[in-house]
Amino acid sequence: MGFDEDWAGIRSGTTEQAPVGTRLNQLDGGGGGGTSGGQPNLATAPAKKKAAANTIENELEPDTAKAAKVADAATTAAAGGFEGWATAAGLKTVETTWDSQVKNLLARLASEKTALRGAAVTFGQQELDNRARLAGVRPTSRIEQY
């Protein structure tokens, strides 16, 4: 049997198979799936977001910068003690890498702080917008006709 006969047999076998598809038998038991009766659970706490942002600003950022300076001083002193050795060059490389990582960490902390404050403001504004819209929707009453 040659290639052409083999290929023809394979092709004819695939056309005889039932069509392939996806069928969902039920919704996710975890309450997903849109309107399956699950209650919405979005909750936000702007005060907690602001507190977390303040912790980043008042504790984490200053403490991280302070720790970086202590490590820089110790590494510089150690590199000075090994002047003329390959170890000194290695310590200078470590110090450069450390400084870069500290700068990245401080930038990440600043980004998280900004995001937390932005989320607190956004959720708060959304809540005010929703209240204003709902306040404008009143049920009609026959009393209002008089």
Side-chain angles (χ1 to χ4, degrees):
M1 182 184 288
F3 173 77
D4 292 329
E5 290 95 12
D6 281 344
W7 183 245
I10 291 170
R11 290 193 62 189
S12 66
T14 58
T15 58
E16 295 171 5
Q17 292 179 353
V20 177
T22 302
R23 188 178 116 218
L24 298 176
N25 291 331
Q26 65 185 24
L27 291 174
D28 176 22
T35 59
S36 65
Q39 294 296 321
N41 60 1
L42 175 63
T44 181
K48 289 183 179 181
K49 287 176 180 50
K50 289 177 185 176
N54 289 338
T55 299
I56 290 172
E57 183 174 9
N58 299 324
E59 294 177 29
L60 295 178
E61 287 177 326
D63 290 351
T64 300
K66 192 184 308 178
K69 288 178 184 176
V70 169
D72 278 345
T75 305
T76 301
F82 288 106
E83 193 62 42
W85 293 39
T87 304
L91 287 172
K92 288 178 184 176
T93 301
V94 167
E95 184 177 15
T96 302
T97 303
W98 172 261
D99 289 341
S100 172
Q101 290 174 344
V102 167
K103 183 186 286 185
N104 289 339
L105 177 58
L106 288 171
R108 178 68 187 265
L109 287 170
S111 173
E112 295 297 329
K113 174 180 65 179
T114 301
L116 283 165
R117 288 189 173 143
V121 169
T122 300
F123 277 116
Q125 186 60 48
Q126 184 64 43
E127 181 68 21
L128 292 175
D129 291 346
N130 287 341
R131 286 182 185 175
R133 278 187 298 164
L134 290 174
V137 177
R138 295 183 338 191
T140 58
S141 171
R142 294 192 53 93
I143 294 175
E144 291 179 6
Q145 293 175 356
Y146 299 103

